[in-house]
Amino acid sequence: MSAAAAIDQISLVDGEYDNDLLLKIASESPTFAHMVRSSLEYLDSSGDNHLPTWLGSWVEDRPKTQVQLVVTQHPDFTIDED
């Protein structure tokens, strides 16, 4: 099995939470789904537990605003749906 196929096998479902938005975005964007699954694979294999990935910034007509995808297993950085 290739590394890409192994990444595609990582489930994005957690029965404890409502993951509808994550699943919807992942189904609409193979790029996003691959980024999430690659991040999970990295966390599982690296010993690291927090991985922010910079996606872009806005600086015109507003304070500098950044967008990140954060995948974390660090207990200080996890949030609840509420």
Side-chain angles (χ1 to χ4, degrees):
M1 177 182 302
S2 72
I7 290 168
D8 289 338
Q9 298 300 315
I10 296 172
S11 176
L12 300 180
V13 175
D14 177 352
E16 186 176 339
Y17 293 97
D18 177 5
N19 292 306
D20 290 346
L21 184 58
L22 174 62
L23 294 173
K24 180 177 190 221
I25 295 169
S27 70
E28 292 175 357
S29 172
T31 301
F32 178 80
H34 183 76
M35 287 179 67
V36 171
R37 289 184 173 109
S38 293
S39 296
L40 294 172
E41 183 179 69
Y42 169 80
L43 292 179
D44 289 345
S45 65
S46 71
D48 199 355
N49 63 4
H50 187 74
L51 181 63
T53 302
W54 176 81
L55 300 178
S57 297
W58 289 278
V59 292
E60 295 180 15
D61 301 323
R62 66 178 25 95
K64 184 175 183 180
T65 305
Q66 292 191 333
V67 177
Q68 292 183 342
L69 169 65
V70 176
V71 179
T72 189
Q73 297 169 341
H74 192 289
D76 291 342
F77 301 125
T78 58
I79 59 170
D80 204 338
E81 296 173 278
D82 302 328

